[in-house]
Amino acid sequence: MKAPAISEVNQRNGVRWNTSKAFLRPVLHRTNLTVLTGAEVETLTLDGRRVTGLRLRHQGRLKSASATREVVLSAGAVNSPKLLELSGIGRPDVLAALGIPVRHALAGVGENLQDHLQIRTVFKIRNALTLNTRYHNLFSRAAMGAEYALRRTGPLSMAPSQLGIFAKSHPGLETPDLEYHVQPLSTDRLGEPLHKFDAVTVSVCNLRPDSRGSIHMETPETSAPPKIRPNYLSAETDRQIAARSIQHARQLMQTRAIARFQPQEHLPGPQFTSEADSAHKAGDIATTIFHPVGTCKMGADDMAVVDASLKVHGITGLRVVDASIMPTIVSGNTNSPVIMIAEKAAALMLREMKRA
């Protein structure tokens, strides 16, 4: 019998360990590094089809920065296409609607948006305490806070999901296409108060969705957010897998190991049994788990934005280094893969500098 796998998390001493702590803070003392916080990039500056720097707003003042070698755009799958469009790089029809002159036509900018949609099924349980009741008990809540403050241990030191599972929506698949995040707490919707009864959330998402969305600016105002159209469950295959995911979660909660907790389905509700009803309810109880990718995808086809070196097609002096360059979404969480993309980009740039 195999031992259970240990799930690795980006955490140290009960505190989330992020890339700023791991990569940036150790080198802040370097004289060739300047970090500006509270700054917002408005546009890239170009000389013909060469990016020469950028324009930004910092502490209410408009400033500019120039680049002798190149600019690395790492604004994420949402804001990297935004900045390209504000700089005149993108779909000509989108830029024309914004009144922005086309500096370079690239049809794929802002297209190919993919994300993991997490379906949050909830089951009431008995014979066990969950964070629902621990949170609503004043003494228990104080004890959790004290434990974390004094020892950096306990529920406040843990990742929200205490159990992860990879599974197949169909036995004929070669590799799993479903990922579960099971949490000892529950709400009707994320951001709302925890339920006052003991329950667990059995979240499941389709790791390889076929649905595609887009992210585009709808105004040339640099401070405006782009319009995000995720188009979740627009593909029939995704609706079918969503229905199977709910059924699969129900089967997990009916296993012999779970029987002593007497699970009762709360969301979406046991009355929704048909594939059509389950797919519809999936849209009601699902939410993003913040894995947007693909809006400046890497490749050589007509919709590709960057090449294998992450350089923007048809533009010199500019690379995109973030989740937007993924042609297709990875079959799992995106944090570590994005760090790998950044490390690969750094290696490419160092190699090119040595050749120069």
Side-chain angles (χ1 to χ4, degrees), residues 132-151:
N132 287 2
T133 51
R134 293 191 67 181
Y135 173 81
H136 287 294
N137 182 290
L138 182 60
F139 295 104
S140 177
R141 193 191 316 176
M144 287 190 292
E147 180 181 3
Y148 182 76
L150 296 173
R151 300 168 55 188

Side-chain angles (χ1 to χ4, degrees), residues 176-189:
D177 63 336
L178 301 180
E179 182 179 11
Y180 282 85
H181 295 90
V182 183
Q183 301 137 2
L185 51 83
S186 65
T187 64
D188 282 335
R189 293 179 181 83

Side-chain angles (χ1 to χ4, degrees), residues 35-40 56-63:
V35 178
L36 291 181
T37 59
E40 182 178 12
L56 60 97
R57 190 168 296 277
H58 182 237
Q59 297 178 346
R61 297 175 58 190
L62 194 61
K63 300 181 179 181

Side-chain angles (χ1 to χ4, degrees), residues 9-60:
V9 295
N10 292 340
Q11 193 169 308
R12 183 177 181 182
N13 297 329
V15 178
R16 174 87 172 184
W17 199 255
N18 57 33
T19 49
S20 174
K21 296 174 183 176
F23 295 92
L24 183 59
R25 292 184 188 180
V27 298
L28 282 175
H29 64 280
R30 293 184 180 178
T31 57
N32 62 347
L33 173 65
T34 300
V35 178
L36 291 181
T37 59
E40 182 178 12
V41 176
E42 293 193 344
T43 185
L44 303 171
T45 55
L46 288 88
D47 181 6
R49 291 190 178 180
R50 177 175 181 80
V51 172
T52 58
L54 52 86
R55 190 172 70 238
L56 60 97
R57 190 168 296 277
H58 182 237
Q59 297 178 346

